[in-house]
């Protein structure tokens, strides 16, 4: 994979890169729409991700090309680019250069060639992987040492303030800080984190990720409107963030039933993250099944971010004997995660496929999902 990315760099720029950096996509076990409410999340990094092959340019110009977006290289003039001024995929990468410069880091120009094996819009965090690959590449090229939590913050800034999507800190943290064989428990308020062992095979289970092939688009207003609803609920309850609500009875003070349901999802999903963490620490991976399915119901009925293909996948998988299943990511498209006893995967996947077939939906794609390491320089 390093070789392929280096070859792509040569195709783009006619010479060798100085290095190839990898940043992975992520699966979130549980804790959805909790990050921007200063709560908990529990993602793990995939093997699949984004590679940035890169080399310095002395004139300050940033050149970007992507194997997944054919066309001439995008050229960003020397100096901090203008937020919103670089359209499309390249905005995520240019935004990282901007965030680094804004923070006072002396990154200069570069040629960057992007290559990815992560489906876009599948809810596996391809944009954060692109940001993080660019971040480790640019800081690597210029010998700038930035602690991973700070680098995650800057990569997120690229997405929030350059591209203009108000996402939380989960995806960039996962891409930069996950460890192989572990999920990352992240407290999105303090940014305290713990590596939680995740070894499904040792527990006699398998985690499946099914790409429902329905595509999501964060720039759409629904993610933002959910975020605003949470902020409104917190303000009405007089707390800094919904993270501070631990007693569900407090939510009775919200008169608006929609706000009450939105908040209930956040409060209950935060609890579920801590419950799943405790189960994983005790080696009971199978025990999290019912919590996954509860989380799905909560996202479907209270937070209302699920989509038909996810609901059908979760329903068919659990009916076929899965231990639990839920939609993953921001919602409105993307992937579902399914927990099955070892040996049951084929039957469960076939059951989901049959339900899709009956509806004339394209078959879901099975995405290999093992807990791998966060971003690194490929050697
Ligand atoms: C997207 C965002 C994350 C998080 C999830 C929902 O992946 O990028 O910050 O809010 O949605 O949990």
């Amino acid at each position: 994979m390093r070789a392929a990315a280096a070859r792509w760099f040569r195709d783009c720029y006619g010479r060798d890169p100085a290095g190839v950096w990898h940043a992975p996509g992520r699966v979130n076990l549980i804790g959805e729409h909790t990050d921007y409410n200063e709560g908990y999340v529990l993602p793990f990094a995939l093997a699949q991700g984004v590679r940035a092959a890169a080399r310095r340019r002395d004139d300050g110009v940033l050149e970007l090309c992507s194997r997944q977006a054919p066309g001439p290289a995008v050229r960003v003039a020397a100096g901090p680019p203008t937020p919103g001024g670089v359209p499309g995929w390249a905005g995520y990468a240019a935004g990282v250069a901007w965030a680094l410069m804004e923070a006072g880091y002396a990154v200069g120009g570069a040629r960057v060639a992007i290559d990815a094996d992560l489906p876009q819009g599948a809810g596996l965090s391809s944009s954060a992987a692109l940001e993080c690959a660019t971040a480790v590449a640019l800081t690597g090229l210029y010998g700038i040492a930035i602690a991973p939590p700070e680098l995650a913050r800057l990569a997120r800034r690229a997405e929030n303030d350059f591209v203009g999507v108000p996402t939380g800190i989960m995806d960039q943290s996962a891409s930069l800080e996950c460890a192989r064989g572990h999920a990352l428990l992240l407290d999105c308020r303090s940014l305290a984190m713990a590596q939680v062992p995740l070894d499904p095979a040792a527990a006699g289970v398998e985690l499946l990720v099914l790409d429902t092939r329905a595509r999501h688009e964060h720039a759409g207003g629904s993610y933002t409107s959910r975020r605003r609803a949470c902020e409104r609920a917190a303000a009405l309850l007089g707390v800094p963030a919904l993270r501070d609500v631990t007693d569900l009875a407090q939510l009775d003070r919200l008169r608006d039933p929609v706000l009450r349901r939105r908040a209930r999802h956040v409060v209950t999903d935060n609890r579920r993250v801590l419950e799943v963490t405790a189960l994983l620490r005790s080696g009971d991976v199978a025990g999290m099944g019912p919590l996954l399915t509860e989380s799905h119901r909560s996202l479907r009925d209270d937070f209302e971010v699920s989509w038909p293909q996810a609901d059908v996948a979760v329903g068919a998988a659990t009916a076929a004997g899965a231990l639990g299943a839920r939609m993953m990511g921001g919602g409105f498209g993307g992937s579902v995660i399914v927990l099955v006893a070892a040996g049951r995967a084929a039957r469960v996947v076939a059951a989901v496929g049959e339900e899709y077939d009956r509806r004339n939906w394209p078959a879901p794609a099975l995405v290999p999902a093992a807990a791998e390491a966060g971003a690194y320089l490929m050697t």
Side-chain angles (χ1 to χ4, degrees), residues 290-313:
L291 292 164
L292 296 182
T293 310
E294 263 178 42
S295 176
H296 183 76
R297 279 195 215 106
S298 176
L299 286 156
R300 183 191 64 196
D301 302 337
D302 279 353
F303 218 64
E304 294 183 274
V305 292
S306 189
W307 63 101
Q309 288 83 347
D311 295 337
V312 166

Side-chain angles (χ1 to χ4, degrees), residues 26 31-36 167-171 218 223 329-330:
R26 61 99 189 94
E32 223 63 272
H33 289 270
T34 46
D35 60 355
Y36 56 78
T167 48
I169 191 70
M170 166 167 71
D171 302 343
H218 277 173
Y223 183 93

